[in-house]
Amino acid sequence: GAVVSQHPSWVICKSGTSVKIECRSLDFQATTMFWYRQFPKQSLMLMATSNEGSKATYEQGVEKDKFLINHASLTLSTLTVTSAHPEDSSFYICSAPRDGYSPLHFGNGTRLTVT
Amino acid sequence: ELKVEQNPLFLSMQEGKNYTIYCNYSTTSDRLYWYRQDPGKSLESLFVLLSNGAVKQEGRLMASLDTKARLSTLHITAAVHDLSATYFCAALRDSGYALNFGKGTSLLVTP
């Protein structure tokens, strides 16, 4: 069964509003989680590394004030897209490593549409 | 910077045929992953390759890793329509568990 849960699966919002996406590790603790973004028919690009109890590490070119990441517990990381615009419409996927060798587990993704 | 290149990007093949998808990466990486993605879905883990010479097989798919050549392959044997999907390889960055992905191979298996 799923080991990483992501919610919501899809969301439609209006320009200027904020959207929060949750990523939970279900039966293990994850001090680190990752947020990826995937545009249609493109690959996944790492946005940021979420670190439990400390600030997230953002990839170059990713606006940290627009994509707020909070990793307040060992099983939950949240990504908030602030003041969303249509160009933020994308598929957002989180992942969490369970241990040093098993495949990195991905959430089911969140499809964000900003109108 | 770790770059991951996949080819081909598009592949149309007939059922019953064999083919190989190639994945090159630019710098040393400890692990190589293969994922499958169906339209509108997230990633399904296929293989994780941990060491040079590693070979893993599951059904009609077989993955291998040559760390000296920085090359991984995903071989499809006797393709069936159900294998139609996009396949991604991803290499582990040198710190933590972040992945750099290839651009993906969109596979279409036709009768």
Side-chain angles (χ1 to χ4, degrees), chain A residues 85-108:
Chain A
H85 290 285
E87 56 264 32
D88 298 323
S89 297
S90 188
F91 193 48
Y92 294 86
I93 311 176
C94 68
S95 77
R98 184 173 192 160
D99 57 42
Y101 296 98
S102 63
L104 298 177
H105 299 284
F106 284 83
N108 286 333

Side-chain angles (χ1 to χ4, degrees), chain A residues 36 38 43 59 100 103-104 107, chain B residues 31 37 42 45 93 97 99 102:
Chain A
Y36 295 84
Q38 184 180 32
S43 187
E59 294 298 296
L104 298 177
Chain B
R31 288 168 214 165
Q37 187 177 40
S42 187
S45 176
R93 291 186 177 189
Y97 291 99
L99 295 176

Side-chain angles (χ1 to χ4, degrees), chain B residues 11-21 60 74-80 83 107 109:
Chain B
L11 177 57
S12 178
M13 57 190 298
Q14 284 185 314
E15 284 187 328
K17 299 292 187 182
N18 305 331
Y19 208 83
T20 300
I21 300 170
R60 300 176 188 274
L74 180 67
H75 187 72
I76 303 158
T77 302
V80 293
L83 290 179
L107 171 66
V109 181

Side-chain angles (χ1 to χ4, degrees), chain B residues 55-75:
Chain B
V55 177
K56 290 195 174 181
Q57 183 163 5
E58 181 73 33
R60 300 176 188 274
L61 302 178
M62 182 174 71
S64 66
L65 178 62
D66 180 343
T67 58
K68 294 180 181 178
R70 296 177 185 160
L71 170 68
S72 180
T73 61
L74 180 67
H75 187 72

